Amino acid sequence: MRKSLERYFRTDKLPHIWCPGCGNGIITGALVRAIDNLKLDQDKICVVSGIGCSSRATGYLNFNTLHTTHGRALAFATGIKMARPDLKVIVLTGDGDCAAIGGNHFIHACRRNIDITTIIFNNSIYGMTSGQYSPLTPVGAYATTAPYGNIDRNFDLCKLAEAAGATYVARGTVYHVPQLIKLIEKALLHKGFSVVETISTCPTYFGRKNKLGSAVKMMEMLRDNAVSVKAAEKMSKEELSGKIVIGEFTNVEAPEYTEEYMKIIKRAQGEE
Amino acid sequence: MEERTEIRLSGSGGQGLILAGIVLAEAAILDGKNAVQSQSYGPEARGGASRAEVVISDGDIDYPKVTRPKVLLALTEQAFNRFKDSVADDGIIILDSSIEKDDTPREIIQLPIIETAKNEIGKGMVANMVALGVIVELTKVVTKQAAEKAISNRVPKGTEDLNLKAFHAGCNLAEKRV
Amino acid sequence: MSSSPRLMQGNEACVEGAIAAGMRFYAGYPITPSTEIAEIASEKLPKVGGKFVQMEDEIGSMGAVIGASLAGLKAMTATSGPGFSLKQENIGFACLAEVPCVIVNVQRGGPSTGQPTLPAQGDVMQARWGTHGDHPIIVLSPSYVGEVFDLTVRAFNLSEKYRVPCILLMDEVVGHLREKVQLPDPATLEIINRKKPDLSKISHYNPYEDYDGDGIPPMANFGEGIPFHVTGLIHDTTGFPSTKPEVTEALIGRLMRKIYNNIDDIIDFEKYFTDDAETVIVSFGSPARSAIRAVKILRNEGVKVGLLRLKTIWPFPRKAFRELPSTVRNIIVAEMNYGQLIEPVEAACAGKFNIFGLNKFNCELISPDEVIAKVREVNKNA
């Protein structure tokens, strides 16, 4: 890690609890680099997380940080953002935290288009509780609660976010780090609800359960299976099977929630 | 022990009985008395049984509910049958003319409340204010001035005149009968 | 100057009290019989520059309330039985992370969907022990519309003072009742705000350090120049998780002590005619009104009966029972449930009195006649 980035970490809280080969550190690093590149005011950043491996990131980051209850990070973040619209509010959440127990908060935060950046650490499994299937575990994959293979159809979280009204939606991977940093930068600059789904690696549980080999092997799979949004447009459904489409899906403007609420205040006070 | 007057306004949801109850309680407060208003309602916003209850007293109102009303207003047959036996021995029942009278030892005053609202005022929905006029005229439980002020305070903006007209029509109905 | 007397609904008085106490954020979800609180908050909050949001569910509203409070706004939510159950996990978060907030529960009949439009007092125990784990909480219960205002102000004050969630346990009767109230002059109200860290004295702010020795750490708000961490995990004074037994014990112990060391400041009750009473009725919320009526009627007949009306339910005001005169032989606990408050009453009395329950669980308010009948029955048999 570059020395100049150390100020964004609570270095006394390191080393982190993540396993060797886990992608979570890469995503956290990408976030910090994006913040550094944009020269955002450190004290005006509030990072909120839920429960799970990914959500431990808030403990290591040197901002206003809030480690909430399982699935509820976006609800807490909504309160913070409404109370202090001047704060840059970032939510770090996992695939189970965001798409299962927190699914309702996720779609409604998208719908409100509140100015919060949500970064999903998608490792396709519940890591903290040691390997159960999540709503983003692919059909046919194995997990401790899917010993005969997963029959639950998984979400496409980016499509879900887009359909629910998020105004910036992108997907990256922990292999394509320079791109991931760019996507997070754009998400942070975007006015409205922004989502960056990041495909991560969990060699300890998802990898072992599905015999995917080492962490390096899993990284190589991300490299080999990633397809850009542009390239994907020209591919058939069959060709896209098993691929990870990465890049920017949505980047549109829409009224932002806290700004709209300021208009409500003016209206209520008879100024409009 | 302080004197308390209990009033029960009963009918169906959408008849504006709760608003009538609120106006009555507010009028009592404007008269310098103590008053509480409570209500009972089902899941229906329209139709279904509905009732509003008002207690007026010169002293403290501890128990806020109505048990032996001195005045029962019944705008539906169902309400009349359900509550007629709860009326205090010296109480009265104000019944809409559309309802068939039944045997009860209490005094029944039957008046065309709903019809007056529909035909004289031209809006069935102000039957609540016609009923209020009847109650105020018959019982003097609040002053007319206080009732008028409470109506102006509580009805939707722009409908004050209509509601006051209905209230006065109710007063007239009762006056003619007396 | 206090306002002129006006007819006001209990739920409206709650919002008036909250805004007077400094509430500037409300998150809620519609549920009978508390919905008017959300409706009125949505209208009144923006007028004072406050914020209202109707969240996607009860859980989310509790989360948003905690978030807003951490960002510096006094925050409240209101609900009823089923919604109160849903909020419990996050209420526990607020207990552990010591986030001031007010939760209103306008009780209806239960369990489950129960009787949504009718009153009950079945959440006495849920209010105390609804969330999991050892935790302190403050629960207040008003009997009158005017008192809804007063106790809402007090709920905010206690919550801010002790950094603890405070529950205003209302019931449908007092929530929906419209009653003559005279609101106090806002200038005369005592308003307590959370204690902030004095950065001139603290070189490095530890968000959970008991700097003043009163068990209540000063609270910074997010975005005020001191980045800090808040977690629902057991944490040390720096706010970071620890699995050490001594850290765990120190935190849970302090959370309890900050409440129980200040119990005389927190508990609140009223005594009516208890000085020479042989029988004392114990009640709270709307049934206490029926009990007062019954006491007045019985006293007119010369029956030596009194009333203990509890305004603080939790922590349980044991002191009220210690103070009862030696003339007291019987206690009647009148509540709209199958018997919940009677349990801490029995514990507080420790066999000193004969204790009887007057329990009504048909979702109708206990009437003065029923209280009178119970007193007569108890006096005859005891």
Side-chain angles (χ1 to χ4, degrees), chain C residues 96-380:
Chain C
L96 185 79
E98 300 176 74
V99 185
C101 53
V102 173
I103 302 105
V104 182
N105 175 3
V106 187
Q107 292 169 98
R108 62 194 228 180
S112 190
T113 311
Q115 291 284 18
T117 62
L118 300 176
Q121 292 177 306
D123 299 344
V124 172
M125 288 298 176
Q126 194 193 184
R128 176 65 190 90
W129 294 114
T131 196
H132 58 281
D134 270 335
H135 63 278
I137 204 145
I138 297 173
V139 182
L140 311 179
S141 188
S143 300
Y144 300 90
V145 171
E147 196 170 83
V148 171
F149 180 96
D150 299 340
L151 291 193
T152 306
V153 173
R154 189 164 145 77
F156 272 97
N157 283 347
L158 291 172
S159 179
E160 291 279 321
K161 186 172 181 182
Y162 295 110
R163 292 190 61 179
V164 67
C166 193
I167 289 160
L168 188 74
L169 194 62
M170 297 178 32
D171 57 60
E172 188 275 341
V173 174
V174 80
H176 276 162
L177 191 71
R178 287 184 181 83
E179 187 161 30
K180 181 175 167 177
V181 292
Q182 192 156 8
L183 298 185
D185 176 358
T188 65
L189 288 175
E190 187 201 10
I191 303 297
I192 299 174
N193 298 315
R194 60 191 68 171
K195 185 170 70 180
K196 310 276 295 224
D198 182 352
L199 294 174
S200 65
K201 291 189 187 140
I202 301 167
S203 57
H204 179 78
Y205 172 61
N206 288 327
Y208 293 97
E209 177 116 26
D210 183 10
Y211 291 102
D212 305 321
D214 58 0
I216 309 154
M219 185 176 173
N221 298 326
F222 280 157
E224 285 184 343
I226 334 164
F228 62 99
H229 185 59
V230 176
T231 177
L233 285 163
I234 296 285
H235 44 269
D236 59 19
T237 57
T238 67
F240 289 93
S242 166
T243 53
K244 290 181 186 153
E246 63 272 22
V247 169
T248 309
E249 189 177 311
L251 175 57
I252 299 296
R254 182 176 59 72
L255 293 183
M256 294 299 183
R257 269 197 320 279
K258 73 178 177 180
I259 300 304
Y260 288 97
N261 285 353
N262 292 295
I263 194 156
D264 287 347
D265 181 46
I266 296 167
I267 61 169
D268 190 10
F269 54 87
E270 269 180 20
K271 294 183 274 193
Y272 297 88
F273 299 102
T274 54
D275 285 351
D276 63 341
E278 290 170 6
T279 298
V280 168
I281 304 155
V282 177
S283 197
F284 66 104
S286 58
R289 303 174 65 125
S290 308
I292 289 175
R293 178 90 181 157
V295 167
K296 285 179 182 170
I297 292 168
L298 287 166
R299 279 277 168 181
N300 263 355
E301 297 174 11
V303 180
K304 290 191 171 169
V305 60
L307 168 70
L308 202 52
R309 185 166 75 85
L310 306 186
K311 297 202 259 180
T312 304
I313 307 294
W314 301 109
F316 192 72
R318 287 168 164 250
K319 184 181 164 187
F321 295 84
R322 283 200 302 272
E323 286 176 0
L324 286 177
S326 57
T327 50
V328 176
R329 288 182 297 127
N330 308 314
I331 300 263
I332 297 170
V333 184
E335 48 184 334
M336 286 192 286
N337 57 45
Y338 201 78
Q340 295 193 12
L341 194 78
I342 194 169
E343 294 191 10
V345 170
E346 281 171 340
C349 297
K352 225 171 124 191
F353 313 109
N354 304 312
I355 298 171
F356 306 89
L358 170 53
N359 304 101
K360 198 165 176 181
F361 39 91
N362 66 353
C363 290
E364 278 185 356
L365 178 58
I366 295 171
S367 73
D369 287 349
E370 287 165 329
V371 180
I372 290 167
K374 189 73 188 177
V375 172
R376 290 198 209 287
E377 178 198 315
V378 162
N379 285 353
K380 204 162 112 192

Side-chain angles (χ1 to χ4, degrees), chain A residues 43 65 67 69 82 105 112 261, chain C residues 51 56 90 225 229-231:
Chain A
D43 186 52
T65 53
H67 178 216
T69 48
M82 283 195 77
H105 309 304
R112 284 188 198 101
Y261 199 86
Chain C
K51 317 275 173 77
E56 51 276 10
N90 282 340
H229 185 59
V230 176
T231 177

Side-chain angles (χ1 to χ4, degrees), chain B:
Chain B
M1 199 113 308
E2 63 277 0
E3 193 57 33
R4 64 188 255 154
T5 307
E6 299 186 353
I7 300 155
R8 176 173 283 153
L9 313 174
S10 65
S12 65
Q15 284 181 325
L17 295 167
I18 290 168
L19 179 61
I22 292 169
V23 167
L24 201 53
E26 183 153 293
I29 290 169
L30 290 169
D31 281 336
K33 291 182 179 174
N34 212 343
V36 303
Q37 180 272 333
S38 62
Q39 60 216 39
S40 167
Y41 59 100
E44 308 90 344
R46 297 287 179 270
S50 169
R51 70 176 195 260
E53 300 181 338
V54 179
V55 181
I56 297 170
S57 172
D58 290 322
D60 291 340
I61 299 172
D62 302 317
Y63 181 63
K65 295 282 183 181
V66 164
T67 48
R68 302 293 279 169
K70 213 160 266 176
V71 181
L72 170 69
L73 168 76
L75 292 183
T76 63
E77 190 175 343
Q78 192 198 10
F80 173 63
N81 288 327
R82 181 160 171 212
F83 297 118
K84 63 183 182 191
D85 296 333
S86 68
V87 177
D89 294 345
D90 59 347
I92 56 165
I93 299 173
I94 299 167
L95 191 63
D96 189 72
S97 302
S98 64
I99 302 159
E100 208 168 308
K101 233 194 310 196
D102 203 334
D103 270 351
T104 161
R106 308 284 174 270
E107 184 188 354
I108 297 181
I109 298 164
Q110 212 167 9
L111 292 168
I113 293 167
I114 294 170
E115 193 194 297
T116 302
K118 270 188 194 148
N119 298 342
E120 196 176 317
I121 312 296
K123 277 225 187 304
M125 64 188 290
V126 293
N128 60 344
M129 292 298 133
V130 178
L132 197 64
V134 170
I135 292 168
V136 171
E137 185 64 43
L138 287 177
T139 65
K140 315 283 188 216
V141 68
V142 298
T143 63
K144 253 191 224 181
Q145 294 87 327
E148 285 162 359
K149 180 135 195 282
I151 290 168
S152 301
N153 287 349
R154 290 285 180 168
V155 301
K157 289 262 161 302
T159 68
E160 293 92 339
D161 290 346
L162 178 74
N163 281 286
L164 284 169
K165 199 173 155 198
F167 172 74
H168 291 132
C171 294
N172 290 340
L173 258 188
E175 205 175 13
K176 265 186 258 161
R177 184 200 166 271
V178 176

